Amino acid sequence: MCLLSHTPAHVPHAGTNDCGQKLTVPTIEANANKLLEHVFAKAPQATVYMASMIAFPHVPVCSQQFNSLVPGIVAKHKANGMKVYYTPMEEWSGVCSGNATDHLSGLCCSGEVHPTAAGYL
């Protein structure tokens, strides 16, 4: 079992389960937009960090295509007044990707879909 920290700073990746369920990338994008709209409506002063999805080993095209949309999604919501920032987790961390180095081992749950609590740090 993989334990994730669900504190405000550490939440599961939006879109990962959608990729795993083989939803289309436009549907995943729509789901992300709906989620951000909901957060903004309920907590307009909240600061949101939207990270790129870590490599999804079973459906890599899905995560790659979705990640290419994330900066635009963030820009759209920022233009509407939301305090939202893009965080390039996939590009910077290498966590859960096939390129992870030894010092990153153990930072990803089995299945290489979500980082562990330590991996999020």
Side-chain angles (χ1 to χ4, degrees):
M1 171 182 242
C2 180
L3 299 177
L4 299 176
S5 171
H6 290 283
T7 64
H10 305 99
V11 295
H13 289 99
T16 301
N17 290 339
D18 289 349
C19 278
Q21 294 169 6
K22 300 191 186 327
L23 297 179
T24 66
V25 172
T27 299
I28 298 168
E29 178 184 22
N31 289 346
N33 281 313
K34 286 178 199 171
L35 176 61
L36 290 172
E37 289 164 4
H38 177 78
V39 168
F40 188 54
K42 297 294 183 182
Q45 296 304 313
T47 299
V48 175
Y49 296 91
M50 186 169 183
S52 53
M53 188 187 314
I54 58 172
F56 194 88
H58 307 293
V59 194
V61 171
C62 179
S63 58
Q64 292 164 359
Q65 289 177 350
F66 179 71
N67 283 345
S68 71
L69 300 174
V70 174
I73 293 169
V74 168
K76 170 187 166 185
H77 291 276
K78 186 175 277 200
N80 290 333
M82 185 176 204
K83 289 187 275 185
V84 59
Y85 302 93
Y86 175 61
T87 304
M89 186 165 179
E90 168 64 17
E91 299 87 339
W92 287 357
S93 74
V95 170
C96 300
S97 72
N99 299 327
T101 59
D102 288 342
H103 71 279
L104 296 176
S105 66
L107 298 180
C108 192
C109 298
S110 64
E112 299 180 351
V113 178
H114 297 286
T116 61
Y120 276 108
L121 295 175

